[in-house]
Amino acid sequence: MKRRTVLAGIAATLAPRALVAQTPGRAAPYRLGVLMGNLANDPVGQAYVASLLQGLRALGWQEGGNMRVEWRWTGGDAALFDRYAAELVAFGPDVLLAQASPSVVALRRKTNTIPVVFTMVTDPVGQGFVGNLAHPGGNVTGFSDFNALMAGKWLQMLTQVAPPVARVAVLYNPATAPYAGLMMDAIEDAAPSFAITARTAPCHDDAEIESVIAELAREHGGLLVLTDIFTIVHRDAILASAAQHRLPTVYFARSFTVAGGLMSYGVDYADLFLRSALYIDRILKGASPRDLPVQQPTKFELVINLRTAKAHGIDLSTTLLATADQVIE
């Protein structure tokens, strides 16, 4: 689904265009609290914010006008998730937006009544955020970012480099990716089909990232970087180490590839933020999160940085290049 199509769908919901904030008995502005996992100065996180605000504007909500927005940026700091969740709940919001699992966990500790819309969350059922996808059943709903079929695609991409990769390490931080077991199950289920051996590579800091990647380079293996606030915040360290060791690496988001990574396959996260505006709007107009089904990812993109491949001496198959949504040359 193209972004303009999503915006057209958003615009179609504006009939009539009167806002809830303008209804009798309710003083404007409405309040939205946003708990982000990115650093505040991260251009990628700012792009997510821009998409969210774009979606809200299409629905008639204006930050600083009929909507007041409180932003909190944690940079992946575990202590800040809890601190900022408390601040946002104290703000008295009508609805909360949570980026990634740690934000949801922190907000659920502080409230079980204020509606929470999440985005960039893997396995919301397994993590106990919702009862089931169709009927969340509580004060939390939102947009998931993982489909098990993605695991096979990641591994297939690593077999389409020359020479093909036979050993893969999967990088994530167990503290911020409690759902990694689900993703590893999908990866291990798919691995035999591609004659690949996959293992976990849990990391907690830049030093461990460098150690994992250096070892893989000696083994002539490949790296798969999972969706995780830790990997988002430590993006530059991962990219620098992979470049230094010329390691074939698949990332979960285009932002890594645009920043110099080899290739990525995953959800369009800016699109998830754009679509989140729809649920925020529906809740502000009276809908309950318990009745809004969790949305599964539907839009995926494969991005290849051919410039990086050439610089690292990595050959990519013509089939892989032909299936890419974008090739950076």
Side-chain angles (χ1 to χ4, degrees):
M1 182 183 295
K2 299 294 184 184
R3 186 155 300 150
R4 59 179 176 270
T5 305
V6 175
L7 286 170
I10 289 174
T13 68
L14 299 178
R17 205 176 160 78
L19 297 175
V20 173
Q22 298 169 331
T23 58
R26 172 63 197 247
Y30 271 52
R31 296 183 175 191
L32 169 65
V34 182
L35 187 56
M36 297 289 292
N38 290 72
L39 291 163
N41 61 356
D42 181 1
V44 176
Q46 291 296 332
Y48 296 159
V49 166
S51 289
L52 172 65
L53 294 177
Q54 181 185 16
L56 289 170
R57 283 193 299 271
L59 291 159
W61 298 100
Q62 295 288 338
E63 182 183 17
N66 57 6
M67 175 176 282
R68 179 180 169 190
V69 185
E70 281 291 312
W71 305 92
R72 293 295 185 275
W73 301 81
T74 66
D77 186 324
L80 289 181
F81 280 107
D82 270 348
R83 172 183 163 186
Y84 289 158
E87 290 181 6
L88 288 173
V89 170
F91 165 61
D94 298 287
V95 61
L96 293 155
L97 179 70
Q99 179 200 11
S101 296
S103 293
V104 184
V105 171
L107 289 171
R108 290 179 78 234
R109 290 194 189 111
K110 307 302 179 184
T111 180
N112 59 6
T113 56
I114 301 172
V116 177
V117 176
F118 62 71
T119 185
M120 295 180 64
V121 164
T122 302
D123 192 19
V125 176
Q127 293 190 76
F129 298 159
V130 299
N132 62 66
L133 299 180
H135 303 285
N139 67 314
V140 178
T141 189
F143 297 80
S144 175
D145 67 355
F146 179 68
N147 181 310
L149 296 178
M150 294 167 65
K153 185 65 176 181
W154 290 331
L155 297 177
Q156 182 185 42
M157 291 166 67
L158 286 169
T159 67
Q160 293 178 297
V161 303
V165 171
R167 290 178 295 279
V168 174
V170 183
L171 191 154
Y172 65 96
N173 184 342
T176 51
Y179 47 80
L182 170 78
M183 303 177 86
M184 279 304 304
D185 286 345
I187 291 166
E188 290 172 349
D189 287 346
S193 301
F194 301 101
I196 285 179
T197 300
R199 66 175 177 85
T200 60
C203 292
H204 301 82
D205 53 35
D206 288 354
E208 290 185 353
I209 289 170
E210 169 60 24
S211 176
V212 163
I213 291 178
E215 179 184 351
L216 272 175
R218 290 191 293 270
E219 296 175 352
H220 305 290
L223 183 68
L224 173 56
V225 178
L226 289 190
T227 173
D228 181 0
I229 282 297
F230 173 84
T231 57
I232 291 172
V233 172
H234 291 260
R235 179 177 61 238
D236 291 346
I238 297 169
L239 290 171
S241 186
Q244 177 186 348
H245 296 284
R246 302 188 172 203
L247 190 71
T249 305
V250 172
Y251 302 93
F252 66 91
R254 66 175 288 115
S255 56
F256 286 81
T257 311
V258 171
L262 179 63
M263 52 188 174
S264 59
Y265 179 77
V267 177
D268 182 341
Y269 287 107
D271 182 67
L272 291 189
F273 276 85
L274 182 75
R275 293 167 61 200
S276 295
L278 283 167
Y279 270 16
I280 292 170
D281 176 72
R282 290 181 66 180
I283 289 169
L284 292 178
K285 291 176 177 174
S288 170
R290 67 188 304 114
D291 300 321
L292 297 175
V294 173
Q295 298 291 321
Q296 296 274 50
T298 57
K299 182 182 178 183
F300 304 90
E301 50 188 2
L302 194 165
V303 183
I304 294 173
N305 194 320
L306 193 56
R307 186 167 59 238
T308 296
K310 292 176 179 177
H312 296 175
I314 298 173
D315 292 326
L316 303 175
S317 74
T318 55
T319 301
L320 179 61
L321 290 169
T323 58
D325 296 289
Q326 180 183 1
V327 176
I328 301 170
E329 300 188 69

mmCIF file of all heavy atoms in Angstrom, residues 110-134:
data_model
loop_
_atom_site.group_PDB
_atom_site.id
_atom_site.type_symbol
_atom_site.label_atom_id
_atom_site.label_comp_id
_atom_site.label_asym_id
_atom_site.label_seq_id
_atom_site.Cartn_x
_atom_site.Cartn_y
_atom_site.Cartn_z
ATOM 1 N N LYS A 110 1.943 1.544 34.353
ATOM 2 C CA LYS A 110 1.435 2.795 34.918
ATOM 3 C C LYS A 110 -0.072 2.975 34.751
ATOM 4 O O LYS A 110 -0.682 3.748 35.487
ATOM 5 C CB LYS A 110 2.151 3.991 34.279
ATOM 6 C CG LYS A 110 3.667 3.921 34.337
ATOM 7 C CD LYS A 110 4.194 3.800 35.763
ATOM 8 C CE LYS A 110 5.702 3.703 35.783
ATOM 9 N NZ LYS A 110 6.241 3.495 37.156
ATOM 10 N N THR A 111 -0.669 2.292 33.774
ATOM 11 C CA THR A 111 -2.111 2.468 33.563
ATOM 12 C C THR A 111 -2.714 1.242 32.900
ATOM 13 O O THR A 111 -2.091 0.610 32.042
ATOM 14 C CB THR A 111 -2.392 3.702 32.686
ATOM 15 O OG1 THR A 111 -3.816 3.838 32.516
ATOM 16 C CG2 THR A 111 -1.744 3.592 31.316
ATOM 17 N N ASN A 112 -3.918 0.908 33.310
ATOM 18 C CA ASN A 112 -4.687 -0.127 32.613
ATOM 19 C C ASN A 112 -6.013 0.439 32.120
ATOM 20 O O ASN A 112 -6.932 -0.319 31.785
ATOM 21 C CB ASN A 112 -4.919 -1.345 33.510
ATOM 22 C CG ASN A 112 -5.679 -0.998 34.787
ATOM 23 O OD1 ASN A 112 -6.145 0.124 34.977
ATOM 24 N ND2 ASN A 112 -5.783 -1.969 35.682
ATOM 25 N N THR A 113 -6.101 1.768 32.092
ATOM 26 C CA THR A 113 -7.339 2.410 31.651
ATOM 27 C C THR A 113 -7.135 3.358 30.467
ATOM 28 O O THR A 113 -7.989 3.433 29.587
ATOM 29 C CB THR A 113 -7.983 3.192 32.813
ATOM 30 O OG1 THR A 113 -7.042 4.136 33.317
ATOM 31 C CG2 THR A 113 -8.402 2.249 33.930
ATOM 32 N N ILE A 114 -6.040 4.090 30.442
ATOM 33 C CA ILE A 114 -5.799 5.012 29.328
ATOM 34 C C ILE A 114 -5.523 4.195 28.069
ATOM 35 O O ILE A 114 -4.680 3.295 28.074
ATOM 36 C CB ILE A 114 -4.612 5.948 29.615
ATOM 37 C CG1 ILE A 114 -4.874 6.777 30.874
ATOM 38 C CG2 ILE A 114 -4.346 6.873 28.415
ATOM 39 C CD1 ILE A 114 -3.672 7.577 31.343
ATOM 40 N N PRO A 115 -6.203 4.475 26.952
ATOM 41 C CA PRO A 115 -5.964 3.718 25.725
ATOM 42 C C PRO A 115 -4.516 3.873 25.237
ATOM 43 O O PRO A 115 -3.958 4.973 25.247
ATOM 44 C CB PRO A 115 -6.938 4.350 24.724
ATOM 45 C CG PRO A 115 -8.007 4.970 25.576
ATOM 46 C CD PRO A 115 -7.302 5.450 26.806
ATOM 47 N N VAL A 116 -3.930 2.750 24.836
ATOM 48 C CA VAL A 116 -2.560 2.722 24.313
ATOM 49 C C VAL A 116 -2.581 2.137 22.906
ATOM 50 O O VAL A 116 -3.075 1.024 22.696
ATOM 51 C CB VAL A 116 -1.624 1.877 25.204
ATOM 52 C CG1 VAL A 116 -0.221 1.812 24.587
ATOM 53 C CG2 VAL A 116 -1.561 2.437 26.620
ATOM 54 N N VAL A 117 -2.060 2.901 21.946
ATOM 55 C CA VAL A 117 -1.867 2.409 20.575
ATOM 56 C C VAL A 117 -0.377 2.148 20.404
ATOM 57 O O VAL A 117 0.437 3.041 20.612
ATOM 58 C CB VAL A 117 -2.344 3.440 19.531
ATOM 59 C CG1 VAL A 117 -2.041 2.944 18.110
ATOM 60 C CG2 VAL A 117 -3.829 3.710 19.692
ATOM 61 N N PHE A 118 -0.014 0.913 20.064
ATOM 62 C CA PHE A 118 1.402 0.611 19.868
ATOM 63 C C PHE A 118 1.739 0.501 18.390
ATOM 64 O O PHE A 118 0.884 0.264 17.541
ATOM 65 C CB PHE A 118 1.819 -0.668 20.603
ATOM 66 C CG PHE A 118 1.127 -1.932 20.149
ATOM 67 C CD1 PHE A 118 1.396 -2.518 18.923
ATOM 68 C CD2 PHE A 118 0.199 -2.563 20.980
ATOM 69 C CE1 PHE A 118 0.775 -3.690 18.518
ATOM 70 C CE2 PHE A 118 -0.434 -3.735 20.590
ATOM 71 C CZ PHE A 118 -0.145 -4.298 19.353
ATOM 72 N N THR A 119 3.020 0.681 18.100
ATOM 73 C CA THR A 119 3.546 0.457 16.759
ATOM 74 C C THR A 119 4.944 -0.130 16.897
ATOM 75 O O THR A 119 5.600 0.038 17.927
ATOM 76 C CB THR A 119 3.574 1.771 15.949
ATOM 77 O OG1 THR A 119 3.994 1.497 14.616
ATOM 78 C CG2 THR A 119 4.520 2.790 16.556
ATOM 79 N N MET A 120 5.376 -0.867 15.868
ATOM 80 C CA MET A 120 6.689 -1.525 15.894
ATOM 81 C C MET A 120 6.787 -2.540 17.030
ATOM 82 O O MET A 120 7.786 -2.618 17.744
ATOM 83 C CB MET A 120 7.819 -0.498 15.995
ATOM 84 C CG MET A 120 7.930 0.409 14.792
ATOM 85 S SD MET A 120 9.263 1.630 14.912
ATOM 86 C CE MET A 120 10.721 0.583 14.954
ATOM 87 N N VAL A 121 5.759 -3.343 17.209
ATOM 88 C CA VAL A 121 5.742 -4.361 18.260
ATOM 89 C C VAL A 121 5.668 -5.746 17.635
ATOM 90 O O VAL A 121 4.863 -5.999 16.739
ATOM 91 C CB VAL A 121 4.551 -4.142 19.224
ATOM 92 C CG1 VAL A 121 4.293 -5.380 20.065
ATOM 93 C CG2 VAL A 121 4.821 -2.938 20.118
ATOM 94 N N THR A 122 6.529 -6.634 18.114
ATOM 95 C CA THR A 122 6.563 -8.020 17.650
ATOM 96 C C THR A 122 5.872 -8.922 18.670
ATOM 97 O O THR A 122 6.111 -8.792 19.872
ATOM 98 C CB THR A 122 8.023 -8.482 17.467
ATOM 99 O OG1 THR A 122 8.681 -7.616 16.547
ATOM 100 C CG2 THR A 122 8.086 -9.904 16.943
ATOM 101 N N ASP A 123 5.016 -9.798 18.195
ATOM 102 C CA ASP A 123 4.326 -10.788 19.018
ATOM 103 C C ASP A 123 3.574 -10.167 20.198
ATOM 104 O O ASP A 123 3.845 -10.486 21.365
ATOM 105 C CB ASP A 123 5.328 -11.832 19.528
ATOM 106 C CG ASP A 123 4.648 -13.053 20.144
ATOM 107 O OD1 ASP A 123 3.457 -13.264 19.873
ATOM 108 O OD2 ASP A 123 5.321 -13.785 20.897
ATOM 109 N N PRO A 124 2.606 -9.303 19.947
ATOM 110 C CA PRO A 124 1.853 -8.679 21.044
ATOM 111 C C PRO A 124 1.048 -9.684 21.869
ATOM 112 O O PRO A 124 0.808 -9.438 23.056
ATOM 113 C CB PRO A 124 0.937 -7.691 20.331
ATOM 114 C CG PRO A 124 0.840 -8.180 18.922
ATOM 115 C CD PRO A 124 2.159 -8.826 18.623
ATOM 116 N N VAL A 125 0.651 -10.806 21.270
ATOM 117 C CA VAL A 125 -0.073 -11.831 22.041
ATOM 118 C C VAL A 125 0.886 -12.551 22.977
ATOM 119 O O VAL A 125 0.628 -12.701 24.176
ATOM 120 C CB VAL A 125 -0.771 -12.835 21.100
ATOM 121 C CG1 VAL A 125 -1.425 -13.947 21.914
ATOM 122 C CG2 VAL A 125 -1.812 -12.136 20.236
ATOM 123 N N GLY A 126 2.018 -13.005 22.425
ATOM 124 C CA GLY A 126 3.006 -13.720 23.230
ATOM 125 C C GLY A 126 3.556 -12.887 24.377
ATOM 126 O O GLY A 126 3.905 -13.422 25.436
ATOM 127 N N GLN A 127 3.626 -11.578 24.184
ATOM 128 C CA GLN A 127 4.122 -10.705 25.251
ATOM 129 C C GLN A 127 3.025 -10.319 26.245
ATOM 130 O O GLN A 127 3.304 -9.634 27.230
ATOM 131 C CB GLN A 127 4.725 -9.439 24.641
ATOM 132 C CG GLN A 127 5.985 -9.700 23.834
ATOM 133 C CD GLN A 127 6.674 -8.404 23.459
ATOM 134 O OE1 GLN A 127 7.326 -7.769 24.282
ATOM 135 N NE2 GLN A 127 6.527 -8.000 22.216
ATOM 136 N N GLY A 128 1.798 -10.767 25.975
ATOM 137 C CA GLY A 128 0.710 -10.504 26.905
ATOM 138 C C GLY A 128 0.105 -9.127 26.802
ATOM 139 O O GLY A 128 -0.643 -8.698 27.681
ATOM 140 N N PHE A 129 0.383 -8.413 25.705
ATOM 141 C CA PHE A 129 -0.181 -7.070 25.540
ATOM 142 C C PHE A 129 -1.663 -7.115 25.183
ATOM 143 O O PHE A 129 -2.425 -6.233 25.569
ATOM 144 C CB PHE A 129 0.565 -6.305 24.451
ATOM 145 C CG PHE A 129 2.026 -6.074 24.727
ATOM 146 C CD1 PHE A 129 2.910 -5.797 23.697
ATOM 147 C CD2 PHE A 129 2.527 -6.138 26.020
ATOM 148 C CE1 PHE A 129 4.249 -5.574 23.939
ATOM 149 C CE2 PHE A 129 3.876 -5.925 26.275
ATOM 150 C CZ PHE A 129 4.735 -5.645 25.238
ATOM 151 N N VAL A 130 -2.060 -8.147 24.412
ATOM 152 C CA VAL A 130 -3.452 -8.298 23.992
ATOM 153 C C VAL A 130 -3.870 -9.754 24.153
ATOM 154 O O VAL A 130 -3.027 -10.656 24.159
ATOM 155 C CB VAL A 130 -3.648 -7.858 22.517
ATOM 156 C CG1 VAL A 130 -3.284 -6.391 22.330
ATOM 157 C CG2 VAL A 130 -2.831 -8.734 21.562
ATOM 158 N N GLY A 131 -5.190 -9.958 24.294
ATOM 159 C CA GLY A 131 -5.705 -11.315 24.420
ATOM 160 C C GLY A 131 -5.546 -12.094 23.133
ATOM 161 O O GLY A 131 -5.087 -13.240 23.127
ATOM 162 N N ASN A 132 -5.947 -11.497 22.031
ATOM 163 C CA ASN A 132 -5.710 -12.059 20.707
ATOM 164 C C ASN A 132 -5.735 -10.908 19.707
ATOM 165 O O ASN A 132 -6.104 -9.786 20.047
ATOM 166 C CB ASN A 132 -6.711 -13.169 20.353
ATOM 167 C CG ASN A 132 -8.139 -12.668 20.309
ATOM 168 O OD1 ASN A 132 -8.514 -11.853 19.462
ATOM 169 N ND2 ASN A 132 -8.957 -13.163 21.253
ATOM 170 N N LEU A 133 -5.326 -11.201 18.475
ATOM 171 C CA LEU A 133 -5.179 -10.133 17.500
ATOM 172 C C LEU A 133 -6.525 -9.533 17.090
ATOM 173 O O LEU A 133 -6.651 -8.314 16.927
ATOM 174 C CB LEU A 133 -4.432 -10.640 16.259
ATOM 175 C CG LEU A 133 -3.004 -11.154 16.492
ATOM 176 C CD1 LEU A 133 -2.388 -11.620 15.185
ATOM 177 C CD2 LEU A 133 -2.132 -10.078 17.136
ATOM 178 N N ALA A 134 -7.516 -10.374 16.934
ATOM 179 C CA ALA A 134 -8.820 -9.893 16.466
ATOM 180 C C ALA A 134 -9.574 -9.112 17.534
ATOM 181 O O ALA A 134 -10.281 -8.149 17.236
ATOM 182 C CB ALA A 134 -9.667 -11.068 15.977
#
